[in-house]
Amino acid sequence: MRDKKDNATFDLPGFEPAAPLEPEAKRPPPPRARRPSLKQEQMLLLEPTDTTGLPIWVRDDNLDLTGLPIWKRD
């Protein structure tokens, strides 16, 4: 590169400054392919549920309050 104040500097052949590159015209991005959304459907549960969607508590005589089986003596 030539210094502006150096009058004795000369350009060597083959080291000319590169021509300014013309920027390519920007193309808009291609439209995105839309994926079909899955339709939601209401599932029917086998057990009745309360308003929160949890199964309703049903008392079983073979289970204690924690849900563990009751051991019966014969």
Side-chain angles (χ1 to χ4, degrees), residues 55-66:
I56 295 175
W57 176 262
V58 178
R59 177 78 171 120
D60 187 356
D61 292 333
N62 296 324
L63 301 177
D64 64 5
L65 294 177
T66 62

